[in-house]
Amino acid sequence: MMINETQLATEFGVSRTPLRRVLQQLSYEGLLEIRNGVGTRVTDIDMKTFKDIYDLRILLAETMGSLSPNWATDRHRETLAELIARAEDLRGRRDIEGYAHLANDLSALICDLIGSTPMREITDLLYYRVARIWYTFLPNLDWDDVVEELLGELKGLLAALASNDLGTFGKVRATYLRWMLKKVSRYISSD
Amino acid sequence: MMINETQLATEFGVSRTPLRRVLQQLSYEGLLEIRNGVGTRVTDIDMKTFKDIYDLRILLAETMGSLSPNWATDRHRETLAELIARAEDLRGRRDIEGYAHLANDLSALICDLIGSTPMREITDLLYYRVARIWYTFLPNLDWDDVVEELLGELKGLLAALASNDLGTFGKVRATYLRWMLKKVSRYISSD
DNA sequence: TGCATCGTAGCTGTATATAGGTCGTGCTCC
DNA sequence: GGAGCACGACCTATATACAGCTACGATGCA
């Protein structure tokens, strides 16, 4: 998808200057490619990069328990319980946008449990870098399968939070990430 | 240290626009703090963040052998040999700027051995985020001690490269990072 | 003398005109 | 007919003027 600065600036009701500030940050985060004289386009991602990012996310998830974790509070547990309710609501109802919002909120919750600021920022960055790719694959996967796997993760995460065990929490998350990677890899190879 | 956009733009012979692009990126990387109506200042770093970043760098270094490493070439070994020569030249000659350049080049060499693009970018980012802090501590440390430790690392790295063992390479690097962290921590606590 | 308030200097944020770069198209020349 | 070159449309990059924000100090009043 191509992006036109003037057009987008008009659409948002601002001038090109603040818009460019945002575009350049997105470019820096790897979501856009800006080429002088040509245009700006949303990057697509190759399979190697996709796997590299997932490997890194898995590594970070497995380590989140040992690198200055935050203390889990009741608020975290309540939020997670809400997410489980929303996930159960997704059963049988093919709502990709709903799944996306749920995944975003879950990512935010997890980041909130990471006490190390640089690790939190990187975890957040890597999530948004592959999220959009994952969503493009979602329509090709078995919906019930995806929802059940998500529910399994959420319940595992809540159990870990209940005993305040962020080590296990990270391990559960890593398992889920591995599952996602495997799911997408299989789709790619069969493409 | 405070930064004035207009002044700095004049100094570099460009207008404020491209300068601001750079400042905003540095701000995004956490090296600057930009406040509307007030000014832009170089951030200083608290000890917790410093330790968090080092913990993360150590983790990444230890994992660089297993997460899609690049193949070491003769060019890498030659460059490393040059770095060793430069380090030996530093013996007895208290040249902090020379040490800084050496460390930068070493960091670039290491990043060049990381095949995973996101991991390489993060490794690079984290290096530059703490490098300037390290240099402010350098004058307070025993120079010979620092140079010998660096030489020890460089030789260890070269030995690992010789047998094309990036796992060991990362372990050696991690050991050096731990030493740096310990050195600075001790200085902080005794301050 | 203490305090509140307002003005102002100086900074970053935004808008906009202009410059510079890239690629496609069509003409020209071989 | 084909290759090469010049031109123009369209894009991002930069320069610059102006608006908005913040901190601080001067000033007037209690």
Side-chain angles (χ1 to χ4, degrees), chain B residues 3-4 16 20 37:
Chain B
I3 284 177
N4 183 300
R16 279 182 57 213
R20 276 173 58 77

Side-chain angles (χ1 to χ4, degrees), chain A residues 2 4 23 37 73-76 87 90 92-93 103 124 128 130 143 149 163:
Chain A
M2 292 299 293
N4 183 301
L23 294 186
T73 65
D74 283 338
R75 189 179 52 76
H76 291 119
L90 245 48
R93 193 165 56 82
D124 200 49
Y128 282 104
V130 288
W143 180 257
E149 187 72 26
S163 55

